[in-house]
Amino acid sequence: MHEDMDPHSAPGREGHGRTWAKAILLGEHSVVYGHPAIAVALHDLRMEATATPITGPSHLASLGYSGPLASSPQGFACVARAFEAAREFAGRMDQSFAIATRSDFPHERGLGSSAAASGAIIRAVLDACGRSASAEELFALTQMAEQVAHGRPSGLDAAATCAPGPIRFQGGRMTPLSQRIEGACLVIADSGVHGSTRQAVEGLRARYEQDAQGIGALIGRLGELTTTAEVALDEGEAPALGAAMDQAHAILAELELSLPVLDRLTAAARGAGALGAKLTGGGLGGCIIALAGDPGAAGRIGSALRQAGAATTWTYRMRTSEIREAERWQ
Ligand code: PMV
């Protein structure tokens, strides 16, 4: 053995995988009931994974945990499932790996960290095994992991965290969207409160079962607002998108998915000139998003949000995105 070699390293190449954080523009929760949702990958907030072949038991260093993969806590069951699913797919259950992830964004804040970590790990393991996979296969593998995290996820996070541009997602199908809003920015603000998507989804389900008509009408209204937002994106109408975001936040609050801190942050963003603001993701904590007409407005809104108590803010410049050929999805 060469002196410099890690005693546990095994022959084979290190694999790499990359995904991104995502923000749901419109349609969280209603997407679970069959309505459309729109999400964007936040390409400045990366999740990167490496898979290094080793001897001995597989090791995981991800989202704050470092230790044997087999004894990782329950909260890591989804990334552990991602790892196993990728090894099974590659036909390499015999090979152990040291898996490590690194991300530019926090987890449990509605930014899609579980799907992003799973997706990056799957890509890294397949890369290390020299096994390619189609976009559909990668999506299906990520969904296997997401099922462990969220029970019955819509698939929106699995699709959005690897998308090259904005996507529309409905009934398990994703389609790229054209985006013609120029110069606008999304300001994302972390409330600092951990949100449980599973708890939020299950709570809404329980309320829906008690009052299918009333709750169903509100959910249907969220679906309509998503369609309004889709048209606004396509026509480059930032104010119309902002108005739909404001209305969606009000409905999500009525559905008991907001918290006072999320209402306060969205109000602070509007007070600082946002065209619209809403919670994003599962709710009951996590992040809010605010639409700023230009980078200057985004700076003012970001300061106002931090003053109002946001733990962190990020600014994402919306880029024009025309629908292109299928290989963009590889
Ligand atoms: O909390 P997040 O970012 O994972 O978003 C969940 C989105 C929901 O619509 C609430 C659930 C789902 O499965 O789509």
Side-chain angles (χ1 to χ4, degrees):
M1 184 187 290
H2 189 280
E3 262 183 10
D4 294 330
M5 211 170 181
D6 179 332
H8 301 295
S9 73
R13 70 174 195 208
E14 184 174 274
H16 296 267
R18 178 185 288 174
T19 53
W20 298 276
K22 68 92 193 40
I24 300 175
L25 284 186
L26 266 301
E28 52 274 273
H29 287 289
S30 45
V31 70
V32 175
Y33 296 78
H35 297 284
I38 300 173
V40 284
L42 303 171
H43 290 133
D44 303 329
L45 301 181
R46 283 176 297 200
M47 172 74 72
E48 285 168 337
T50 53
T52 312
I54 55 168
T55 56
S58 289
H59 187 273
L60 176 69
S62 178
L63 308 175
Y65 171 77
S66 180
L69 191 124
S71 47
S72 56
Q74 181 53 30
F76 294 84
C78 92
V79 288
R81 181 74 192 98
F83 171 70
E84 296 302 349
R87 278 202 314 174
E88 273 161 32
F89 182 81
R92 292 305 311 274
M93 291 305 284
D94 57 322
Q95 178 62 61
S96 301
F97 290 92
I99 300 293
T101 65
R102 193 203 67 76
S103 73
D104 298 328
F105 57 100
H107 52 107
E108 294 184 331
R109 298 295 206 279
L111 294 176
S113 65
S114 69
S118 299
I121 288 171
I122 289 162
R123 284 166 176 79
V125 170
L126 297 186
D127 184 33
C129 297
R131 177 78 158 87
S132 60
S134 67
E136 290 74 22
E137 287 166 333
L138 289 167
F139 174 76
L141 290 168
T142 310
Q143 269 297 81
M144 284 182 196
E146 281 287 276
Q147 272 150 11
V148 175
H150 299 314
R152 285 178 50 207
S154 63
L156 178 58
D157 281 14
T161 50
C162 61
I167 60 162
R168 177 185 201 273
F169 191 88
Q170 186 171 25
R173 254 178 55 81
M174 69 174 155
T175 29
L177 284 181
S178 59
Q179 199 295 97
R180 296 195 181 87
I181 294 178
E182 280 289 338
C185 296
L186 279 184
V187 183
I188 301 120
D190 179 5
S191 70
V193 178
H194 285 238
S196 162
T197 299
R198 182 188 276 260
Q199 193 190 330
V201 169
E202 286 176 1
L204 181 59
R205 175 65 64 186
R207 289 189 285 285
Y208 177 78
E209 274 162 15
Q210 286 201 331
D211 176 15
Q213 215 182 356
I215 300 290
L218 291 172
I219 289 173
R221 183 76 192 111
L222 284 176
E224 288 163 16
L225 287 168
T226 306
T227 304
T228 304
E230 189 180 333
V231 174
L233 280 178
D234 188 46
E235 294 181 348
E237 286 295 334
L241 174 61
M245 288 166 62
D246 280 343
Q247 289 172 51
H249 183 79
I251 294 171
L252 289 163
E254 210 175 328
L255 290 171
E256 297 174 45
L257 295 161
S258 188
L259 289 180
V261 62
L262 301 176
D263 296 339
R264 195 172 69 237
L265 290 175
T266 49
R270 287 181 205 112
L275 299 172
K278 62 182 278 293
L279 68 83
T280 184
L284 300 180
C287 289
I288 66 114
I289 51 171
L291 184 65
D294 56 58
R300 291 188 292 279
I301 293 163
S303 313
L305 284 165
R306 289 189 297 279
Q307 263 173 26
T312 318
T313 62
W314 300 270
T315 298
Y316 173 74
R317 183 85 184 251
M318 292 179 73
R319 298 168 181 96
T320 307
S321 149
E322 299 291 335
I323 302 166
R324 296 209 206 115
E325 63 285 3
E327 61 258 29
R328 292 184 79 213
W329 294 92
Q330 297 305 309

